[in-house]
Amino acid sequence: MSNLARKQYQQHIETGQQTQVQVKTIRRHAKITPGEKFLAMLLVAFVCIMAVQIISAQSKIYEVNKNIEDVKSAIFEQQKVNGDLESQVKELSSNERVMKIARKSGLDLDENNVRVVEKK
């Protein structure tokens, strides 16, 4: 073999060896360690517990607000009743009505015995 043929032959062998020598890199996915799994489970449990707590608190707030509205409506109704009763008291305690009932009972108005009492 001549030098030129030998060089080409060696280059051919070297390129063949180089292709065989190339190392393939295998990428492996990182495995999740048991500690990371445990932390993830703790996080999920914490989020679930907090969600339940928030919903529970909102439920209690709704219930308290409903009770407050019920009490407010009861107070309003009682104020209406009290206002009606006050107007009845004013009607029944009017001077004309008292004088009419007194005359029916046989009482007379003596101007000398009348005293005026002022509220303080």
Side-chain angles (χ1 to χ4, degrees):
M1 274 211 291
S2 72
N3 261 348
L4 183 61
R6 185 174 276 195
K7 283 182 184 179
Q8 286 180 353
Y9 179 72
Q10 284 179 350
Q11 286 176 354
H12 178 65
I13 291 176
E14 287 177 2
T15 57
Q17 287 177 352
Q18 285 177 356
T19 56
Q20 292 175 359
V21 175
Q22 290 178 352
V23 179
K24 292 182 181 179
T25 57
I26 299 174
R27 292 188 182 184
R28 294 185 181 172
H29 295 287
K31 292 183 180 179
I32 298 174
T33 64
E36 290 173 341
K37 286 181 183 178
F38 179 72
L39 287 176
M41 292 300 286
L42 280 179
L43 178 67
V44 169
F46 177 74
V47 168
C48 290
I49 289 171
M50 291 309 294
V52 168
Q53 288 292 333
I54 290 171
I55 291 171
S56 173
Q58 290 296 325
S59 158
K60 288 177 185 177
I61 290 171
Y62 173 77
E63 194 172 317
V64 168
N65 284 338
K66 183 180 173 205
N67 289 340
I68 289 171
E69 290 300 319
D70 290 343
V71 168
K72 281 183 180 179
S73 66
I75 288 172
F76 179 73
E77 291 295 322
Q78 190 61 43
Q79 285 175 342
K80 266 176 56 177
V81 169
N82 288 349
D84 292 343
L85 292 176
E86 284 178 8
S87 66
Q88 283 182 355
V89 166
K90 286 181 183 177
E91 286 177 17
L92 294 175
S93 65
S94 67
N95 289 337
E96 294 88 27
R97 183 175 179 279
V98 171
M99 290 295 284
K100 187 176 177 182
I101 293 174
R103 285 194 183 126
K104 277 186 182 177
S105 299
L107 299 174
D108 278 338
L109 177 64
D110 187 7
E111 295 291 331
N112 295 330
N113 271 343
V114 174
R115 293 184 186 171
V116 177
V117 179
E118 294 180 19
K119 292 183 179 180
K120 289 186 178 182

